[in-house]
């Protein structure tokens, strides 16, 4: 076989369509049927320039985006593939079914469910494969969970090779906070065939991304950047083909080997990179697989002792059982946050209880947990159906707890682990129970590792549990567990886990036994202790172990944690599970707690004071953390939901006190285009209504034209605009400009976390309101 060479993709389709002068309309895919010759001509130009793979014009031909189109998904996808096929006929160029984001956010950020997303992709995939696509490429993706739905649909419903590129911002995160390591780890495990980046930035800014991704995947790396950054004045891209090629060259040493262009690139760009790099061999890679788990925004590399929090588990916990029975998700979330704050790096999730729909509850709890904590989860169930349901919706790479050495169990669970790209815990027991000796447990561990390998699951995805027995019952066997663990670690090259607290059942002073056993186990090679992290003696033993084994170099972490504490308080009592305060609940996105706390606060505080002194400052804090990249869109929306829950309670209170009834005037409120964060606007609306104004709420993500049209149509004299993100303040400015032109005498006030009085003036607003109360003052001033 000939050596692999660098492959070339096409360049911008949208850019070429704009240049061709055809009117793009709402859905550019309609051109596949209306103007097939234009599309064909663009494809031919790219093939002529040297593309080995062209992307069919099918990017947004999904059911959601075509909802107002005269054409069906099948019609436009089929026509798109056929046009590309005709252009490629006789050239050897391959045709990719091109699929972009659905255009609607998935739960919990939006309303689209995972299975609906799956179904939307499936429809496109079936049409694309039937029409003759050679492969599918998911591109411009920003939500790892949406990609997962897409990849699963491709894997389950077609035989097409799957390529995937995501779009990152300069800070190395996607719009929803997905990180590059999480993308690499998760999608590699899900079995895609090539991975990389497209859109948003020029090649140079993507070089560090390629370097980072190469650490987390052995797959060929795709790079399809824009022609630099857009020039906001001319609305074009400044970079020429030679500069583009020069910047692309910098990514090649890190393994970029499938090269093309996105917005602003033309056939000239492809011709130039083909000339520069055509026939080159992809750079050699020094990828080494790692023991790692992740959520979409956070990756945990297991290269030391990592605590698995055991508390999301009804075993022996009356309150937790009650919480499950009463469907008290808030309680479970509080338990999760507490454990993470106490140092848990992974959370075990077990919701099995007689008389409970374990599958439905597991799915719900996994989703809820992933919207408030970013640590990876360990999905704990003995039921394969429950595991599969949770593995489908899990965002990232989880750990499955567990399989054992029984052939039937291995055959049931391992295919799920492989398919959904998880890691798995293997228990050293089988149909005959737990063997007594270390040697016998080792034999089972070896069988698990070998069977996993036969399913294509590498040792880096295996964590062996040599099983803690209870010292009060099987004292002689305690050391067998530890001996087995050393053998497994040294001879099989996998990592290990143990449920540590099992050791002390039936003995007094359990923490003493647990701590000592934990310390012994770490010395025998324990990587993932499953413990209650809220016990400082347990986490303290790990901290001390890391000092004594020279892992915590210079005792840095130890000093950070214990250095300032007085020696006498260091061995403190367990971390107290106090009630979350309202600001804590909003910051952490705890809906139920926010509601409860608001009800309590209303007994001693004025409703408006709660809004202005707690809710708004906390939301501002969340907004600032978002702006500075400390938290990401999912947490932002989660906080907004919690604040909304609090606000609903306040709204009830306010309307029951409502006294004024005369109509004072009509006001429009809207969250500007591109911004979905509408809690601030919703608060303002209710307050204004309470003061007797007739408020027309245009909602969130409101197009500029809609604001203008509605202002005219309803003869409105005062408009309030809100924007949370700096990126959408641009749209606020444009909305103001359009309004001024169309309705010169309208007054406009603005608000939102990132705005300042100065900035409000700069973008042309008449007023700035820092909170809901100020909005009322403005309304009084303008309308009386
Ligand atoms: N290996 C693996 N997974 C496991 C275990 C294991 N999962 C379950 C268990 N063992 C680890 N998890 C727990 C959870 C709770 C308790 C112990 C282990 C526990 N509960 C107290 C009791 O029962 O008395 C209640 C204590 C409390 O309320 O704080 O001890 O071995 N792979």
């Amino acid at each position: 076989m000939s050596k692999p060479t660098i492959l070339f993709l096409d360049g911008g389709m949208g850019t070429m369509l704009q240049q061709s002068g055809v009117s793009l309309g709402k859905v550019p895919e309609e051109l596949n049927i209306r103007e097939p010759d234009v599309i064909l001509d663009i494809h031919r130009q790219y093939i002529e320039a040297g593309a080995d793979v062209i992307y069919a014009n099918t990017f947004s031909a999904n059911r959601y985006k075509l909802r107002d189109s005269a054409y069906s998904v099948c019609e436009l996808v089929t026509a798109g593939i056929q046009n590309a096929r005709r252009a490629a006929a006789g050239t050897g160029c391959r045709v990719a079914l091109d699929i972009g984001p659905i255009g609607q956010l998935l739960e919990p950020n939006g309303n689209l469910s995972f299975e609906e997303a799956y179904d939307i992709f499936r429809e496109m995939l079936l049409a694309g494969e039937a029409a003759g696509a050679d492969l599918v490429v998911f591109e411009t993706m920003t939500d790892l969970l949406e990609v997962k739905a897409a990849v699963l649909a491709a894997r389950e419903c077609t035989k097409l090779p799957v390529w995937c590129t995501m779009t990152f911002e300069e800070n190395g995160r996607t719009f929803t906070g997905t990180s590059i390591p999480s993308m690499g780890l998760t999608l590699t495990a899900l079995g895609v065939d090539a991975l990389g980046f497209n859109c948003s930035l020029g090649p140079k800014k993507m070089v560090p991304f390629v370097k980072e991704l190469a650490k987390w995947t052995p797959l060929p790396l795709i790079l399809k950047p824009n022609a630099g950054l857009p020039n906001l004045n001319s609305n074009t891209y400044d970079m020429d083909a030679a500069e583009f090629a020069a910047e692309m060259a910098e990514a090649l040493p890190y393994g970029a080997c499938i090269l093309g262009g996105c917005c602003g690139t033309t056939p000239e760009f492809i011709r130039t990179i083909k000339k520069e790099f055509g026939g080159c061999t992809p750079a050699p890679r020094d990828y080494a697989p790692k023991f790692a788990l992740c959520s979409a925004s956070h990756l945990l590399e297991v290269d030391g002792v990592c605590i698995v929090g055991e508390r999301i588990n009804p075993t022996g916990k009356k309150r937790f059982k009650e919480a499950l029975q009463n469907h008290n998700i808030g309680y479970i979330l509080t338990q999760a946050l507490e454990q993470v704050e106490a140092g848990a790096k992974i959370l075990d999730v077990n919701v099995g209880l007689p008389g409970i729909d374990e599958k439905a509850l597991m799915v719900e709890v996994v989703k809820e947990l992933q919207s408030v904590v970013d640590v990876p989860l360990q999905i704990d169930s003995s039921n394969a159906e429950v595991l599969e349901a949770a593995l489908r919706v899990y965002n990232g790479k989880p750990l499955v707890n567990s399989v054992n050495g029984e052939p039937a169990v291995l055959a049931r669970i391992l295919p799920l682990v492989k398919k959904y790209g998880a890691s798995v815990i293997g228990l050293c027991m089988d149909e005959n129970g737990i063997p007594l000796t270390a040697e016998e447990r080792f034999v089972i561990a070896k069988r698990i590792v070998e069977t996993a390998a036969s399913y294509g699951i590498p040792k880096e995805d295996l964590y062996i549990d040599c099983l803690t027995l209870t010292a009060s019952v099987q004292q002689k066997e305690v050391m067998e567990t530890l001996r087995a663990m050393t053998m497994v670690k040294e001879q099989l090259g996998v990592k290990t886990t143990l449920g540590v607290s099992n050791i002390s059942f039936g003995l007094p002073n359990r923490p003493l036994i647990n701590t000592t056993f934990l310390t012994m186990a770490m010395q025998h090679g324990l990587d993932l202790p499953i413990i209650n992290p809220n016990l400082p003696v347990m986490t303290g033993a790990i901290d001390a172990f890391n000092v004594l084994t020279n892992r915590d170099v210079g005792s840095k972490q130890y000093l950070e944690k214990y250095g300032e504490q007085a020696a006498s308080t260091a061995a403190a009592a367990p971390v107290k599970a106090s009630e979350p305060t309202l600001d804590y609940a909003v910051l952490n996105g705890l809906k139920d707690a926010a509601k409860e706390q608001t009800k309590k606060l209303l007994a001693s505080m004025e409703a408006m004071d709660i809004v202005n002194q707690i809710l708004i400052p906390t939301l501002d804090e969340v907004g600032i953390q978002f702006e500075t990249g400390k938290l990401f869109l999912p947490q932002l929306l989660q906080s907004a939901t919690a604040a909304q829950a609090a606000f609903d309670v306040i709204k009830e209170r306010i309307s029951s006190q409502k006294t004024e009834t005369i109509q004072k005037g009509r006001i429009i409120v809207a969250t500007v285009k591109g911004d979905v964060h509408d809690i601030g606007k919703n608060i303002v609306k209710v307050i204004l209504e309470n003061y007797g104004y007739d408020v027309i709420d245009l909602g969130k993500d409101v197009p500029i034209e809609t604001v203008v049209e509605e202002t005219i149509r309803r003869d409105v004299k005062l408009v309030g605009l809100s924007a949370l993100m700096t990126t959408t303040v641009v749209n606020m400015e444009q909305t103001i400009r359009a309004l001024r032109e169309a309705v010169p005498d309208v007054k406009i006030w603005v608000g939102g976390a990132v705005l300042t009085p100065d900035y409000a003036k700069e973008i042309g607003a008449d007023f700035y309101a820092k909170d809901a109360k100020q909005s009322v003052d403005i309304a009084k001033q303008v309308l009386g």
Side-chain angles (χ1 to χ4, degrees), residues 409-431:
V409 174
L410 288 167
R412 197 160 57 232
I413 307 293
L414 291 181
L416 298 178
V417 170
K418 175 65 187 169
K419 175 176 172 188
Y420 294 102
S423 290
V424 63
I425 292 175
L427 307 181
C428 290
M429 59 182 283
D430 59 16
E431 62 275 30

PDB file of all heavy atoms in Angstrom, residues 409-431:
ATOM      1  N   VAL A 409     -22.375 -11.733  32.070  1.00  0.00           N
ATOM      2  CA  VAL A 409     -22.339 -10.308  32.424  1.00  0.00           C
ATOM      3  C   VAL A 409     -21.374  -9.562  31.501  1.00  0.00           C
ATOM      4  O   VAL A 409     -21.689  -8.486  30.979  1.00  0.00           O
ATOM      5  CB  VAL A 409     -21.938 -10.119  33.908  1.00  0.00           C
ATOM      6  CG1 VAL A 409     -21.763  -8.645  34.238  1.00  0.00           C
ATOM      7  CG2 VAL A 409     -22.994 -10.749  34.814  1.00  0.00           C
ATOM      8  N   LEU A 410     -20.216 -10.167  31.277  1.00  0.00           N
ATOM      9  CA  LEU A 410     -19.245  -9.554  30.367  1.00  0.00           C
ATOM     10  C   LEU A 410     -19.879  -9.354  28.988  1.00  0.00           C
ATOM     11  O   LEU A 410     -19.738  -8.291  28.372  1.00  0.00           O
ATOM     12  CB  LEU A 410     -18.000 -10.445  30.245  1.00  0.00           C
ATOM     13  CG  LEU A 410     -17.090 -10.475  31.473  1.00  0.00           C
ATOM     14  CD1 LEU A 410     -16.080 -11.613  31.363  1.00  0.00           C
ATOM     15  CD2 LEU A 410     -16.377  -9.142  31.643  1.00  0.00           C
ATOM     16  N   ALA A 411     -20.592 -10.385  28.529  1.00  0.00           N
ATOM     17  CA  ALA A 411     -21.172 -10.338  27.180  1.00  0.00           C
ATOM     18  C   ALA A 411     -22.283  -9.296  27.087  1.00  0.00           C
ATOM     19  O   ALA A 411     -22.561  -8.748  26.023  1.00  0.00           O
ATOM     20  CB  ALA A 411     -21.711 -11.713  26.798  1.00  0.00           C
ATOM     21  N   ARG A 412     -22.918  -8.998  28.213  1.00  0.00           N
ATOM     22  CA  ARG A 412     -24.012  -8.033  28.213  1.00  0.00           C
ATOM     23  C   ARG A 412     -23.485  -6.595  28.333  1.00  0.00           C
ATOM     24  O   ARG A 412     -23.962  -5.705  27.644  1.00  0.00           O
ATOM     25  CB  ARG A 412     -24.943  -8.360  29.400  1.00  0.00           C
ATOM     26  CG  ARG A 412     -26.304  -7.729  29.323  1.00  0.00           C
ATOM     27  CD  ARG A 412     -27.314  -8.434  30.214  1.00  0.00           C
ATOM     28  NE  ARG A 412     -26.913  -8.484  31.619  1.00  0.00           N
ATOM     29  CZ  ARG A 412     -26.878  -9.597  32.345  1.00  0.00           C
ATOM     30  NH1 ARG A 412     -27.222 -10.759  31.820  1.00  0.00           N
ATOM     31  NH2 ARG A 412     -26.510  -9.563  33.616  1.00  0.00           N
ATOM     32  N   ILE A 413     -22.498  -6.418  29.188  1.00  0.00           N
ATOM     33  CA  ILE A 413     -22.079  -5.044  29.524  1.00  0.00           C
ATOM     34  C   ILE A 413     -20.962  -4.519  28.615  1.00  0.00           C
ATOM     35  O   ILE A 413     -20.968  -3.347  28.224  1.00  0.00           O
ATOM     36  CB  ILE A 413     -21.607  -4.966  31.004  1.00  0.00           C
ATOM     37  CG1 ILE A 413     -22.677  -5.526  31.951  1.00  0.00           C
ATOM     38  CG2 ILE A 413     -21.226  -3.534  31.386  1.00  0.00           C
ATOM     39  CD1 ILE A 413     -23.935  -4.735  32.050  1.00  0.00           C
ATOM     40  N   LEU A 414     -19.990  -5.346  28.286  1.00  0.00           N
ATOM     41  CA  LEU A 414     -18.837  -4.823  27.541  1.00  0.00           C
ATOM     42  C   LEU A 414     -19.201  -4.210  26.183  1.00  0.00           C
ATOM     43  O   LEU A 414     -18.637  -3.168  25.808  1.00  0.00           O
ATOM     44  CB  LEU A 414     -17.751  -5.897  27.391  1.00  0.00           C
ATOM     45  CG  LEU A 414     -17.045  -6.267  28.706  1.00  0.00           C
ATOM     46  CD1 LEU A 414     -15.960  -7.326  28.462  1.00  0.00           C
ATOM     47  CD2 LEU A 414     -16.437  -5.040  29.392  1.00  0.00           C
ATOM     48  N   PRO A 415     -20.152  -4.801  25.432  1.00  0.00           N
ATOM     49  CA  PRO A 415     -20.516  -4.140  24.168  1.00  0.00           C
ATOM     50  C   PRO A 415     -21.066  -2.725  24.383  1.00  0.00           C
ATOM     51  O   PRO A 415     -20.832  -1.840  23.565  1.00  0.00           O
ATOM     52  CB  PRO A 415     -21.594  -5.060  23.582  1.00  0.00           C
ATOM     53  CG  PRO A 415     -21.339  -6.387  24.200  1.00  0.00           C
ATOM     54  CD  PRO A 415     -20.833  -6.101  25.581  1.00  0.00           C
ATOM     55  N   LEU A 416     -21.752  -2.513  25.494  1.00  0.00           N
ATOM     56  CA  LEU A 416     -22.276  -1.168  25.790  1.00  0.00           C
ATOM     57  C   LEU A 416     -21.125  -0.209  26.086  1.00  0.00           C
ATOM     58  O   LEU A 416     -21.108   0.934  25.642  1.00  0.00           O
ATOM     59  CB  LEU A 416     -23.213  -1.206  27.001  1.00  0.00           C
ATOM     60  CG  LEU A 416     -24.484  -2.052  26.865  1.00  0.00           C
ATOM     61  CD1 LEU A 416     -25.262  -2.019  28.181  1.00  0.00           C
ATOM     62  CD2 LEU A 416     -25.336  -1.523  25.726  1.00  0.00           C
ATOM     63  N   VAL A 417     -20.165  -0.715  26.875  1.00  0.00           N
ATOM     64  CA  VAL A 417     -19.004   0.108  27.234  1.00  0.00           C
ATOM     65  C   VAL A 417     -18.278   0.542  25.967  1.00  0.00           C
ATOM     66  O   VAL A 417     -17.913   1.705  25.801  1.00  0.00           O
ATOM     67  CB  VAL A 417     -18.055  -0.696  28.154  1.00  0.00           C
ATOM     68  CG1 VAL A 417     -16.734   0.034  28.355  1.00  0.00           C
ATOM     69  CG2 VAL A 417     -18.734  -0.967  29.494  1.00  0.00           C
ATOM     70  N   LYS A 418     -18.106  -0.400  25.058  1.00  0.00           N
ATOM     71  CA  LYS A 418     -17.395  -0.104  23.811  1.00  0.00           C
ATOM     72  C   LYS A 418     -18.192   0.887  22.956  1.00  0.00           C
ATOM     73  O   LYS A 418     -17.687   1.919  22.519  1.00  0.00           O
ATOM     74  CB  LYS A 418     -17.164  -1.412  23.042  1.00  0.00           C
ATOM     75  CG  LYS A 418     -16.552  -1.233  21.669  1.00  0.00           C
ATOM     76  CD  LYS A 418     -15.136  -0.668  21.781  1.00  0.00           C
ATOM     77  CE  LYS A 418     -14.565  -0.330  20.410  1.00  0.00           C
ATOM     78  NZ  LYS A 418     -13.323   0.439  20.553  1.00  0.00           N
ATOM     79  N   LYS A 419     -19.450   0.575  22.746  1.00  0.00           N
ATOM     80  CA  LYS A 419     -20.263   1.385  21.848  1.00  0.00           C
ATOM     81  C   LYS A 419     -20.371   2.832  22.315  1.00  0.00           C
ATOM     82  O   LYS A 419     -20.287   3.754  21.512  1.00  0.00           O
ATOM     83  CB  LYS A 419     -21.669   0.782  21.751  1.00  0.00           C
ATOM     84  CG  LYS A 419     -22.606   1.617  20.929  1.00  0.00           C
ATOM     85  CD  LYS A 419     -23.944   0.924  20.777  1.00  0.00           C
ATOM     86  CE  LYS A 419     -24.925   1.863  20.121  1.00  0.00           C
ATOM     87  NZ  LYS A 419     -26.282   1.308  20.132  1.00  0.00           N
ATOM     88  N   TYR A 420     -20.560   3.022  23.606  1.00  0.00           N
ATOM     89  CA  TYR A 420     -20.756   4.376  24.104  1.00  0.00           C
ATOM     90  C   TYR A 420     -19.452   5.026  24.567  1.00  0.00           C
ATOM     91  O   TYR A 420     -19.457   6.116  25.124  1.00  0.00           O
ATOM     92  CB  TYR A 420     -21.806   4.384  25.222  1.00  0.00           C
ATOM     93  CG  TYR A 420     -23.167   4.018  24.695  1.00  0.00           C
ATOM     94  CD1 TYR A 420     -23.704   2.752  24.867  1.00  0.00           C
ATOM     95  CD2 TYR A 420     -23.903   4.950  23.955  1.00  0.00           C
ATOM     96  CE1 TYR A 420     -24.941   2.415  24.347  1.00  0.00           C
ATOM     97  CE2 TYR A 420     -25.139   4.620  23.429  1.00  0.00           C
ATOM     98  CZ  TYR A 420     -25.654   3.353  23.635  1.00  0.00           C
ATOM     99  OH  TYR A 420     -26.880   3.024  23.105  1.00  0.00           O
ATOM    100  N   GLY A 421     -18.345   4.334  24.343  1.00  0.00           N
ATOM    101  CA  GLY A 421     -17.050   4.945  24.620  1.00  0.00           C
ATOM    102  C   GLY A 421     -16.820   5.252  26.086  1.00  0.00           C
ATOM    103  O   GLY A 421     -16.314   6.313  26.431  1.00  0.00           O
ATOM    104  N   ALA A 422     -17.196   4.326  26.960  1.00  0.00           N
ATOM    105  CA  ALA A 422     -17.011   4.541  28.401  1.00  0.00           C
ATOM    106  C   ALA A 422     -15.767   3.796  28.878  1.00  0.00           C
ATOM    107  O   ALA A 422     -15.146   3.047  28.124  1.00  0.00           O
ATOM    108  CB  ALA A 422     -18.235   4.040  29.149  1.00  0.00           C
ATOM    109  N   SER A 423     -15.389   4.021  30.128  1.00  0.00           N
ATOM    110  CA  SER A 423     -14.457   3.146  30.831  1.00  0.00           C
ATOM    111  C   SER A 423     -15.299   2.272  31.759  1.00  0.00           C
ATOM    112  O   SER A 423     -16.484   2.550  31.953  1.00  0.00           O
ATOM    113  CB  SER A 423     -13.458   3.969  31.645  1.00  0.00           C
ATOM    114  OG  SER A 423     -12.566   4.648  30.793  1.00  0.00           O
ATOM    115  N   VAL A 424     -14.684   1.232  32.323  1.00  0.00           N
ATOM    116  CA  VAL A 424     -15.502   0.325  33.128  1.00  0.00           C
ATOM    117  C   VAL A 424     -14.720  -0.234  34.310  1.00  0.00           C
ATOM    118  O   VAL A 424     -13.515  -0.441  34.227  1.00  0.00           O
ATOM    119  CB  VAL A 424     -16.074  -0.820  32.244  1.00  0.00           C
ATOM    120  CG1 VAL A 424     -14.962  -1.689  31.667  1.00  0.00           C
ATOM    121  CG2 VAL A 424     -17.072  -1.674  33.008  1.00  0.00           C
ATOM    122  N   ILE A 425     -15.454  -0.450  35.397  1.00  0.00           N
ATOM    123  CA  ILE A 425     -14.901  -1.130  36.570  1.00  0.00           C
ATOM    124  C   ILE A 425     -15.165  -2.624  36.435  1.00  0.00           C
ATOM    125  O   ILE A 425     -16.291  -3.029  36.131  1.00  0.00           O
ATOM    126  CB  ILE A 425     -15.561  -0.602  37.864  1.00  0.00           C
ATOM    127  CG1 ILE A 425     -15.140   0.845  38.106  1.00  0.00           C
ATOM    128  CG2 ILE A 425     -15.224  -1.487  39.062  1.00  0.00           C
ATOM    129  CD1 ILE A 425     -15.833   1.498  39.292  1.00  0.00           C
ATOM    130  N   GLY A 426     -14.121  -3.425  36.640  1.00  0.00           N
ATOM    131  CA  GLY A 426     -14.278  -4.880  36.617  1.00  0.00           C
ATOM    132  C   GLY A 426     -14.112  -5.445  38.018  1.00  0.00           C
ATOM    133  O   GLY A 426     -13.061  -5.287  38.640  1.00  0.00           O
ATOM    134  N   LEU A 427     -15.171  -6.084  38.521  1.00  0.00           N
ATOM    135  CA  LEU A 427     -15.117  -6.661  39.870  1.00  0.00           C
ATOM    136  C   LEU A 427     -14.499  -8.050  39.814  1.00  0.00           C
ATOM    137  O   LEU A 427     -14.863  -8.861  38.958  1.00  0.00           O
ATOM    138  CB  LEU A 427     -16.523  -6.783  40.466  1.00  0.00           C
ATOM    139  CG  LEU A 427     -17.431  -5.554  40.489  1.00  0.00           C
ATOM    140  CD1 LEU A 427     -18.769  -5.914  41.145  1.00  0.00           C
ATOM    141  CD2 LEU A 427     -16.767  -4.405  41.241  1.00  0.00           C
ATOM    142  N   CYS A 428     -13.609  -8.337  40.761  1.00  0.00           N
ATOM    143  CA  CYS A 428     -12.950  -9.645  40.802  1.00  0.00           C
ATOM    144  C   CYS A 428     -13.854 -10.698  41.424  1.00  0.00           C
ATOM    145  O   CYS A 428     -13.563 -11.245  42.491  1.00  0.00           O
ATOM    146  CB  CYS A 428     -11.647  -9.571  41.576  1.00  0.00           C
ATOM    147  SG  CYS A 428     -10.403  -8.657  40.690  1.00  0.00           S
ATOM    148  N   MET A 429     -14.993 -10.941  40.790  1.00  0.00           N
ATOM    149  CA  MET A 429     -15.884 -12.008  41.240  1.00  0.00           C
ATOM    150  C   MET A 429     -16.585 -12.557  40.015  1.00  0.00           C
ATOM    151  O   MET A 429     -16.567 -11.940  38.947  1.00  0.00           O
ATOM    152  CB  MET A 429     -16.901 -11.476  42.246  1.00  0.00           C
ATOM    153  CG  MET A 429     -17.779 -10.355  41.692  1.00  0.00           C
ATOM    154  SD  MET A 429     -18.926  -9.709  42.917  1.00  0.00           S
ATOM    155  CE  MET A 429     -20.141 -11.033  42.906  1.00  0.00           C
ATOM    156  N   ASP A 430     -17.201 -13.717  40.161  1.00  0.00           N
ATOM    157  CA  ASP A 430     -17.963 -14.273  39.037  1.00  0.00           C
ATOM    158  C   ASP A 430     -19.164 -15.048  39.563  1.00  0.00           C
ATOM    159  O   ASP A 430     -19.560 -14.839  40.727  1.00  0.00           O
ATOM    160  CB  ASP A 430     -17.062 -15.119  38.130  1.00  0.00           C
ATOM    161  CG  ASP A 430     -16.420 -16.283  38.875  1.00  0.00           C
ATOM    162  OD1 ASP A 430     -16.901 -16.610  40.000  1.00  0.00           O
ATOM    163  OD2 ASP A 430     -15.451 -16.853  38.357  1.00  0.00           O
ATOM    164  N   GLU A 431     -19.701 -15.931  38.732  1.00  0.00           N
ATOM    165  CA  GLU A 431     -20.921 -16.645  39.144  1.00  0.00           C
ATOM    166  C   GLU A 431     -20.713 -17.454  40.422  1.00  0.00           C
ATOM    167  O   GLU A 431     -21.660 -17.817  41.098  1.00  0.00           O
ATOM    168  CB  GLU A 431     -21.457 -17.512  37.994  1.00  0.00           C
ATOM    169  CG  GLU A 431     -20.536 -18.614  37.494  1.00  0.00           C
ATOM    170  CD  GLU A 431     -19.512 -18.145  36.443  1.00  0.00           C
ATOM    171  OE1 GLU A 431     -19.106 -16.960  36.504  1.00  0.00           O
ATOM    172  OE2 GLU A 431     -19.123 -18.962  35.612  1.00  0.00           O
TER     173      GLU A 431
END
